[in-house]
Amino acid sequence: MKLRVLAVDDSRTMRGMLDAALRDAGFEVRLAEDGIEGLERLNEEMPDIIITDINMPRMDGFGFIEAVRAERRYRGLPILVLTTESAPELKARARNAGATGWIVKPFDEGKLAVAIERVATV
């Protein structure tokens, strides 16, 4: 069975890159352009893992992570942050919000696939 990934990013280009890379790696992919749409997609079908950007309109990645973790049924769902940000205080904030891991863009397709499989099967 394929792992289901929900990828949340406001960049159309990044969503396209994630979609192609993750499908090529054998994952089932759902996309959302910000935290609000991410929550809608999350409620439509249960992914095995979420990948989210931080800087997005309407609801940023921190708010999205907090909203996901506020729902009991999603507390154990792995969430990887994929962003251009690398400041330690932002990583700490994401971790405190409930993020499982942090990957800096641009991403290596192979390493991203390995990271997804590692945290999604834990």
Side-chain angles (χ1 to χ4, degrees):
M1 185 169 167
K2 292 183 178 182
L3 286 176
R4 292 172 308 229
V5 179
L6 172 60
V8 184
D9 198 299
D10 62 317
S11 165
R12 180 181 299 145
T13 301
M14 184 55 64
R15 286 193 310 273
M17 290 171 56
L18 282 166
D19 188 45
L22 296 175
R23 285 183 194 282
D24 287 349
F27 299 109
E28 187 177 309
V29 183
R30 297 291 180 265
L31 303 170
E33 65 182 41
D34 61 27
I36 301 280
E37 187 178 1
L39 291 174
E40 292 168 0
R41 294 271 184 274
L42 183 62
N43 289 321
E44 289 170 4
E45 75 175 85
M46 180 66 165
D48 297 301
I49 186 168
I50 296 171
I51 298 172
T52 185
D53 190 13
I54 290 295
N55 299 311
M56 300 180 288
R58 297 200 308 160
M59 177 184 281
D60 69 8
F62 298 118
F64 174 65
I65 294 167
E66 290 168 353
V68 170
R69 292 296 185 232
E71 293 193 41
R72 177 176 293 231
R73 63 186 168 158
Y74 300 132
R75 290 204 180 130
L77 184 63
I79 301 174
L80 292 177
V81 174
L82 179 65
T83 183
T84 57
E85 303 289 345
S86 61
E89 61 272 10
L90 295 178
K91 289 181 183 180
R93 184 175 171 199
R95 209 173 18 256
N96 290 336
T100 310
W102 187 281
I103 300 170
V104 177
K105 294 175 188 174
F107 64 92
D108 175 280
E109 295 177 15
K111 288 180 182 177
L112 180 61
V114 168
I116 290 169
E117 289 173 356
R118 186 179 320 126
V119 299
T121 57
V122 170

